[in-house]
């Protein structure tokens, strides 16, 4: 597939490298393509462009920008370049406030997630929440003695979720589909839970697994 990754941070770079490793085509989108020159030099088949160029290229788009800038980045990408496409939303609505005893603060609340707002503003894009509650070093083919970790996903479009499940399979995850966009109200705060051992004890290598009885 052709993948447009919106973002230039560690998550965008990690996921783009994962897509390239698995035989996809990938372009990173950023406001400042020049700052990724070194990354492109290291990843020969990678490409870099504007948010709009990356979204236009993608059969699937990945949103991997700062949560507070998610809507801005999508506006710059252009609704017409997102229409009809699965948009993997890896973002978290982290507020500009310090964690409290290791607990991050969000600018959303439990009745309204970041992804629901994005889905409302871009009704023709097919958002799927994924990759938001694991650290970037373990996003692509993580190895755990206990087996495959679980990626919790949600979104309104079953076809888009099927496409994302296929990617998660390639990336070494089992998928747990939690239903429609409202489930992002529960999946986004998994990031808070995931970060607590990091802030309290500098433990950053875990992942979640759902045990099914
Ligand atoms: N770090 C992790 O391990 C991890 C794990 C899971 C999920 N996440 C989530 O993944 C997302 C990306 O995280 P990250 O650590 O890679 O990067 P980040 O530092 O959170 O975000 C960097 C990106 O945000 C964009 N951005 C910032 N302000 C902007 C604005 N005003 N308008 C448009 N774009 C703007 C930047 O665009 P430019 O390229 O134009 O500068 C850049 O691409 C976040 O939502 C984070 O919560 C992170």
């Amino acid at each position: 597939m052709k993948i447009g990754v919106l973002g230039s941070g560690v998550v965008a770079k990690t996921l783009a490298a994962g897509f390239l490793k698995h035989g996809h085509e990938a372009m990173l989108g950023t406001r400042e393509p020049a700052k990724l020159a070194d990354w492109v030099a290291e990843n020969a088949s990678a490409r870099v462009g504007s948010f709009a160029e990356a979204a236009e290229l993608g059969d699937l788009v990945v949103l991997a920008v700062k949560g507070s800038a998610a809507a801005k980045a999508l506006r710059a990408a252009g609704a017409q370049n997102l229409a009809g496409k699965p948009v993997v939303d890896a973002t978290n609505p982290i507020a500009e406030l310090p964690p409290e005893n290791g607990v991050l603060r969000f600018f959303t609340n439990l009745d309204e997630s970041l992804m629901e707002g994005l889905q409302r503003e871009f009704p023709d894009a097919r958002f799927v929440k994924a990759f938001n509650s694991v650290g970037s070093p373990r996003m692509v083919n993580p190895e755990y003695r206990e087996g495959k970790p679980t990626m919790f996903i949600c979104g309104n479009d079953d076809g888009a979720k099927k496409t994302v499940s296929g990617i998660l399979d390639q990336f070494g995850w089992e998928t747990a589909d939690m239903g429609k966009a409202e489930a992002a109200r529960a999946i986004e705060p998994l990031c808070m839970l995931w970060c607590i051992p990091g802030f309290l004890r500098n433990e950053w290598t875990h992942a979640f697994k759902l045990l099914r009885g």
Side-chain angles (χ1 to χ4, degrees), residues 6-13 29-33 35-36 51 63-74 76 89-94 114 130-137 139 191 194:
L6 308 182
S8 62
V10 64
V11 174
K13 289 175 183 167
T30 167
R31 294 167 297 179
E32 264 182 86
K35 73 179 172 191
L36 290 167
F51 285 129
L63 179 62
V65 298
K66 198 173 167 185
S68 56
K72 278 182 220 148
L74 292 173
D89 173 17
T91 64
N92 286 307
I94 298 172
L114 177 57
F131 291 111
N132 72 301
S133 48
V134 64
S136 60
M139 285 181 174
C191 152
W194 187 87

Side-chain angles (χ1 to χ4, degrees), residues 30-108:
T30 167
R31 294 167 297 179
E32 264 182 86
K35 73 179 172 191
L36 290 167
D38 289 350
W39 188 80
V40 174
E42 287 161 22
N43 294 271
S45 49
R47 293 160 68 192
V48 174
S50 65
F51 285 129
E53 286 165 338
E56 187 182 16
L57 168 112
D59 306 314
L60 177 145
V61 175
V62 177
L63 179 62
V65 298
K66 198 173 167 185
S68 56
K72 278 182 220 148
L74 292 173
R75 284 173 208 143
Q80 72 285 1
N81 293 325
L82 305 170
K85 300 178 183 178
V87 177
V88 176
D89 173 17
T91 64
N92 286 307
I94 298 172
E96 303 280 346
L97 292 164
E100 268 182 302
N101 287 327
V103 182
L104 282 171
R105 318 259 207 113
F106 274 15
F107 57 77
T108 49

